Amino acid sequence: SLSVTAFPLSHGNPYESTAFLLRNGESYLLYLGDTGPDEVEKSNKLHLLWESIAPLIKAKKLKAIFIECSFPSTQKDAQLFGHLTPKWLITEMTVLSNIAGIENLKGLNVAVTHIKPVGNNKVIIKKEIKKLNTLGLKILYPQQGVQMNF
């Protein structure tokens, strides 16, 4: 049986987006729509989401997080329009690690989605995330038509 819990996200004032926590038996997957970092959005929506999923991470029941990273870190905060950069993605993952415990995030599958197809964005974003990922996250980049197993 599959169940879904929705969580509100900030997507640039006044817009909202949604995160979906999917449950199948004792396994969970978290998929976030567009979202800006709490600090930029002047929000606590990601923090509340992290608090909600931390017990699942500690229990090793969360199989993956799908989260967007639209722009390189050189994008100005005022021009994020409710999106993340590698810097903000890792900042938010650090907040999650502070709640769930850094040791619990090591090897956690984090699938990076919604990279804006402009110039060398994908190459730059991958390089930045690799450099910033001191948490030991297992970073994945989904490809259309390629199955992902967790």
Side-chain angles (χ1 to χ4, degrees), residues 67-106:
I67 188 167
E68 65 106 341
C69 186
S70 296
F71 302 107
S73 295
T74 54
Q75 186 85 358
K76 295 184 184 323
D77 289 351
Q79 302 205 321
L80 289 178
F81 309 111
H83 295 286
L84 296 172
T85 64
K87 176 191 90 165
W88 285 116
L89 170 63
I90 298 301
T91 297
E92 287 296 341
M93 291 294 103
T94 300
V95 172
L96 177 57
S97 78
N98 291 335
I99 297 168
I102 191 167
E103 68 283 352
N104 293 315
L105 261 62
K106 287 186 189 321

Side-chain angles (χ1 to χ4, degrees), residues 40-123:
V40 173
E41 295 293 324
K42 309 294 185 240
S43 168
N44 68 344
K45 291 180 180 175
L46 281 174
H47 190 85
L48 293 173
L49 176 60
W50 303 149
E51 288 180 335
S52 295
I53 67 163
L56 300 174
I57 293 172
K58 290 176 184 178
K60 304 293 185 202
K61 293 182 178 183
L62 185 71
K63 302 303 179 192
I65 296 174
F66 284 73
I67 188 167
E68 65 106 341
C69 186
S70 296
F71 302 107
S73 295
T74 54
Q75 186 85 358
K76 295 184 184 323
D77 289 351
Q79 302 205 321
L80 289 178
F81 309 111
H83 295 286
L84 296 172
T85 64
K87 176 191 90 165
W88 285 116
L89 170 63
I90 298 301
T91 297
E92 287 296 341
M93 291 294 103
T94 300
V95 172
L96 177 57
S97 78
N98 291 335
I99 297 168
I102 191 167
E103 68 283 352
N104 293 315
L105 261 62
K106 287 186 189 321
L108 178 66
N109 295 308
V110 176
V112 177
T113 64
H114 195 26
I115 296 173
K116 298 284 186 181
V118 178
N120 288 340
N121 271 4
K122 191 170 190 175
V123 171

